[in-house]
Structures are given as C-alpha cells and as structure tokens.
Amino acid sequence: MALRFYNTLTQSVEEFAPADGKTVRMYTCGPTVYNYAHIGNLRTFTFEDVLRRWLRARGYQLNHVMNITDVEDKIIRKAAEQHKSIQEYTEQYTRAFLEDTATLRLERPERLVKATEHIDDMVRAVQELEAKGFTYTTDGSVYYSIQKFPEYGKLSHNDFSGVRAGARVDVDEYEKADARDFVLWKAPKENEPFWDTPIGPGRPGWHIECSVMAMKYLGATLDIHCGGVDLIFPHHENEIAQSEAITGKPFARFWLHSEFLNIDSQKMAKSAGNFYTLRDLLAMGHTPEAVRYVLLSVPYRKKLNFTFDGLQAAATAIDRLRNFKLRLETEKFADGSNEQISARTQTALRQFEDSLDDDLNTAEALGAIFEYVRDVNTAMDSGEFRRGNVEAALDLLQRFDCIADVLRPTQKQESGLADDDVEALIAQRQQAKKARNFPRADEVRKQLQDAGIILEDTKEGTRWKRK
Ligand SMILES: [Zn+2]
C-alpha cells in the first residue's frame, strides 16, 4: 500500500509523495519561547519527528523548516515583567527547547529559523499585500482584510462570509467565533519594543512570520505543513490567506494536524495542577524513552490520554523489547533456519510498514512488533527458533527502532559508567569467581548494582543491562 495521510484541507486520506518525487519540503510551526514546552507541545513535536523518520524510511529526502517564535504578545509581557530584553528573555527558553527535544531524541529540522531575524522579509511581505490591495491601516497598524480573500475558511471548513467588514483583532490567538481582520503589523504601544521600518515602527503579527519564513526557504507551495489542531484556526487559516494572496498559488499540498493531549482525561492546565513539562517527568524518575514511547504510541489524530500508569506501562514495554534484543544477541540457538519463523518475521515487517503508511498508525505498528516478540519468545523457549533466524529478527527490531528510537537507554549521568567500564568490571568479576575469590566477585556485583547495572548470569555467560 502506498503512503497516505489525512489532509485537513481536503478532509480526506490521500496518497502522498513530494511534488518533485524526491525531497519533502515541510514546515512545522515551532515553539513560542516564553516558557518551557509542556508535554502537550512535545506530543506534536514527537509526531513530527515520527513523520520525518517515516518519510526518510520511505526513501525521501527532507527539507524541513521550523520557526522559533521569539516575538509575540506573551513574550513581550513576560520580558517586561522581568525587566529583560526580548532577546535575553527568549534565549533561555530557546535553549531549554533545544535541550528538551534532544533529550526526547527528536531530530533537528534541517533549518530552525527565528522570527526576529526575518523582520525585513516580513515587512516586504506586508508591502506586497498592501500593493495587492489586501490590507488597510488603522492607527499605524496594518490589517489583513479577510473579505478580500474569498477562500478564507477553506482549511478550518468554516463559512465566514457573514463576518462584518472592518471588524478587527489585534491579538495573535482568538476563537472561531471571533473571525476578524487580523493584524499583520502592530504599531507599538507605550513602552513596547519595536522595529523602525519603511511601513512604520512596530512588530510583526504571529501569522505573517510563518508565511514568510516557510516561503523564503521552501518556495510558494510546500509539500507538508504541520502543527497542533489548535493552530488550524486562526493561525493556519491566516497563513493560507497571506501566502496565497502574495503568490496566487496553493500554499501547502498537505496539512497534517495532531490532536490534544489530556492528563487523566482532563485538559492540562496550570490551574488544575496537572501541568507537566519534560523536566517535571524526568525529575520524578521517568526516563526520556518512556515519555517518548507514550507520546508516539497513540496515532497523532487521536486524543492522547496521558496517565502515570501509561508511563509505567511504557517503561515495561521498552524493557520487554530490550530483553528480547538481548536474547537475540546472546542466546545460543540451534543451527539452521526455521522457515515458519522467517515467514513470521516477514509478516511482522509488512504489518509494521503498512501501519505507518496508513496515516502513521503508530498504535498498530507497535502492536505488530509486540505480537511478533511474543511469538518469537515462545519459539525460543520451545527451541524452534534457530540461529539462521536471528539476523532477520534483529533487522526488524532495527527498522522499528529507526522510528521509535527507544531501545538505547539514556546514559545515566550519575552512574558515570560507560559501556566499556561495565564490560571491564564484569570481566573482573568473572576472574574473581574463577579464582574462587567470592567476596571480591560480590563486591564488583554490588558496585555495578549501585551504578544501575543489572547482571544476569546465563549458561552463555553474563548479560547486563541498565536499570
Ligand atoms: Zn506557524
């Protein structure tokens, strides 16, 4: 089956290939760096990571641009509260965002671009929209007149034809019921930072930023534009209105949106006391891999109900996979190859790939792998699994992990034991045992244990893993 995605624009599942057949030109709305990203934000970024990895597994190259929104209403307010410049204020959270996404093993987009480094481009875009008659100016601010763009509403599938001409909105985020002419360029209020430009002093609205940076680096028509469902309106609707007014071409061929994350079936909110950042979860002792697993385990178009039981179950699932891999790598199997198992491995691979081709159905893809692990563990126990089946099984796990990326344990900073150190200590323990120096052997075992290393003595020697 061909690769296909649900396209918010057409409200249908469509076959996907990049326009040039080779490189996927993709834009994803990045963070507004006024705070630490919470796990709801990180769910969207994890979905985009899985999308990246699967597009590449399907043989495509990527040109992926993500913006960093480093000037916006909330940032200006917060920076002023702390008597900091916008740059000082946003720098700490930009760094934190990059650290958190690296911890979660999210691949870096090919290009990360900051809004404040593209003010000139945005000013030129506003001038173009002015020249084409899509704007008007009031009190030094420039607005986009949505009546001038008859297709307004085509992404969110709303009919805005009854909206009163000239009703305006200055804030970056607003509800559907408030569809209004939106601000492209904001005149500065008292004590607000601003840029002096040919269209007057001020700062860009949030929406123009993404249109401008997307088209600057990816061209008039993108292959894929992504974001959370909360961005469909007004943000992405406005991006389409701006970009298509400038170019007269479709702005993006595919629009992919990921659903919300709830905590214990409730909306995550600071006021509800159920608001978590990645840092919060790590401080509670959870691993980045378990968080990553939870975030990717639910298909992106379904609401994800985050629970601590679910996070615990993710850690157990990862352990099962790691133990399976260890077994493949260390157990001695009888010679030969079992044809039935070869066929079973092929089936699992096909199920895994078909599931991801089907609009990234990660739940089914994981299901296919776990059923396989269960079947093969049984075959190993009964001696049916042969040495000749190992390679294909490991290959399947590797293909799985190219997407899931959970098999490698995060090195614990505090344990400080590199793999080589662990191996050396295990060798020392073997020698001590051979020399019947059992106190020394126990001492080494204890040392490893304290560093979070678990030993398992088998017929074939000692296996180890990190806690
Ligand atoms: Zn955006």
Side-chain angles (χ1 to χ4, degrees):
M1 283 292 268
L3 175 59
R4 57 218 186 274
F5 298 127
Y6 179 85
N7 187 349
T8 308
L9 186 64
T10 59
Q11 293 184 301
S12 58
V13 175
E14 294 175 55
E15 267 188 37
F16 176 82
D20 73 359
K22 227 169 51 195
T23 304
V24 180
R25 286 163 309 111
M26 174 159 95
Y27 186 87
T28 56
C29 290
T32 301
V33 281
Y34 72 101
N35 208 334
Y36 295 110
H38 58 67
I39 56 171
N41 305 136
L42 292 171
R43 187 214 180 169
T44 299
F45 297 126
T46 304
F47 142 63
E48 290 160 355
D49 180 67
V50 170
L51 174 62
R52 275 183 63 92
R53 289 168 184 252
W54 189 242
L55 287 167
R56 238 197 352 254
R58 277 315 191 206
Y60 298 123
Q61 289 170 9
L62 280 163
N63 187 2
H64 172 193
V65 176
M66 180 192 272
N67 64 306
I68 305 263
T69 299
D70 58 352
V71 55
E72 171 272 358
D73 299 341
K74 288 189 288 285
I75 289 172
I76 289 173
R77 198 175 62 240
K78 295 242 180 193
E81 276 167 19
Q82 297 187 14
H83 307 287
K84 283 183 176 161
S85 71
I86 288 184
Q87 205 197 347
E88 276 175 309
Y89 183 79
T90 56
E91 207 170 356
Q92 58 186 323
Y93 293 115
T94 304
R95 204 179 327 118
F97 174 75
L98 296 178
E99 282 168 15
D100 288 348
T101 49
T103 304
L104 269 186
R105 305 180 181 180
L106 308 187
E107 293 181 350
R108 277 269 182 108
E110 277 61 38
R111 223 185 258 275
L112 275 170
V113 289
K114 288 185 179 175
T116 54
E117 290 170 4
H118 295 77
I119 302 291
D120 290 348
D121 299 301
M122 294 180 216
V123 167
R124 274 195 296 279
V126 174
Q127 286 173 319
E128 267 185 81
L129 287 168
E130 267 177 343
K132 292 189 165 160
F134 284 90
T135 69
Y136 58 90
T137 304
T138 303
D139 298 332
S141 290
V142 184
Y143 296 88
Y144 186 103
S145 171
I146 60 175
Q147 279 209 327
K148 297 277 168 63
F149 188 71
E151 290 174 272
Y152 194 79
K154 70 177 174 182
L155 180 69
S156 54
H157 303 281
N158 284 304
D159 179 8
F160 292 121
S161 55
V163 172
R164 192 161 52 88
R168 296 184 301 274
V169 58
D170 282 293
V171 291
D172 287 325
E173 289 170 88
Y174 50 91
E175 300 294 321
K176 279 195 191 81
D178 279 334
R180 306 275 171 90
D181 293 345
F182 58 91
V183 70
L184 296 165
W185 187 256
K186 296 190 199 200
K189 298 203 187 80
E190 207 179 331
N191 295 325
E192 273 189 359
F194 62 88
W195 282 261
D196 245 326
T197 76
I199 54 171
R203 61 185 165 94
W206 172 37
H207 316 297
I208 192 70
E209 156 192 335
C210 284
S211 281
V212 164
M213 296 195 286
M215 294 195 296
K216 173 166 182 158
Y217 296 109
L218 299 171
T221 304
L222 323 174
D223 288 309
I224 300 178
H225 195 313
C226 298
V229 284
D230 51 326
L231 298 188
I232 296 174
F233 187 88
H235 185 51
H236 291 164
E237 197 72 72
N238 292 350
E239 280 188 43
I240 289 177
Q242 297 163 147
S243 305
E244 299 191 0
I246 290 174
T247 65
K249 293 177 182 154
F251 178 44
R253 298 170 53 230
F254 281 75
W255 287 86
L256 272 57
H257 291 102
S258 68
E259 258 294 348
F260 284 119
L261 174 148
N262 288 328
I263 308 271
D264 293 323
S265 304
Q266 292 189 324
K267 194 166 187 269
M268 177 164 61
K270 282 207 169 121
S271 53
N274 65 357
F275 183 96
Y276 300 104
T277 64
L278 176 63
R279 285 149 201 255
D280 295 333
L281 299 177
L282 300 186
M284 293 161 131
H286 300 288
T287 65
E289 306 94 275
V291 177
R292 180 179 165 89
Y293 186 100
V294 165
L295 294 182
L296 65 75
S297 61
V298 175
Y300 75 97
R301 285 206 298 130
K302 284 210 168 118
K303 286 199 176 68
L304 191 158
N305 186 30
F306 181 94
T307 64
F308 283 95
D309 284 348
L311 191 53
Q312 202 52 56
T316 307
I318 293 169
D319 266 349
R320 240 180 108 206
L321 293 169
R322 286 178 183 165
N323 286 335
F324 178 68
K325 179 160 182 267
L326 192 65
R327 210 174 166 187
L328 282 170
E329 286 168 342
T330 56
E331 209 160 298
K332 291 257 190 306
F333 302 105
D335 283 347
S337 178
N338 181 327
E339 284 311 308
Q340 261 181 321
I341 288 170
S342 301
R344 182 69 189 84
T345 307
Q346 282 306 311
T347 306
L349 177 61
R350 206 178 51 243
Q351 287 170 338
F352 175 74
E353 293 182 337
D354 285 351
S355 303
L356 290 174
D357 276 347
D358 181 15
D359 198 23
L360 299 181
N361 191 334
T362 47
E364 266 185 24
L366 288 171
I369 297 299
F370 276 99
E371 266 178 47
Y372 173 78
V373 168
R374 188 197 56 205
D375 289 354
V376 171
N377 269 324
T378 307
M380 286 170 168
D381 293 341
S382 66
E384 286 164 67
F385 191 87
R386 300 300 168 83
R387 195 190 300 170
N389 296 118
V390 169
E391 201 181 312
L394 281 173
D395 180 63
L396 172 64
L397 269 192
Q398 202 236 325
R399 284 169 194 245
F400 155 80
D401 207 42
C402 277
I403 309 302
D405 204 352
V406 293
L407 291 181
R408 174 174 52 88
T410 298
Q411 297 279 346
K412 282 210 172 128
Q413 300 290 333
E414 61 274 16
S415 100
L417 283 186
D419 287 5
D420 287 351
D421 301 332
V422 176
E423 303 282 355
L425 283 167
I426 289 173
Q428 279 185 31
R429 178 167 164 268
Q430 289 311 114
Q431 274 188 335
K433 273 167 69 174
K434 230 181 187 169
R436 308 193 67 77
N437 183 353
F438 297 113
R440 172 65 190 148
D442 284 345
E443 197 180 284
V444 176
R445 185 180 191 106
K446 173 93 179 35
Q447 189 183 347
L448 286 162
Q449 213 169 36
D450 291 346
I453 306 298
I454 299 166
L455 301 184
E456 194 186 335
D457 292 318
T458 70
K459 285 194 299 266
E460 285 89 33
T462 304
R463 294 178 193 160
W464 66 274
K465 63 181 182 180
R466 291 177 197 274
K467 220 189 279 179

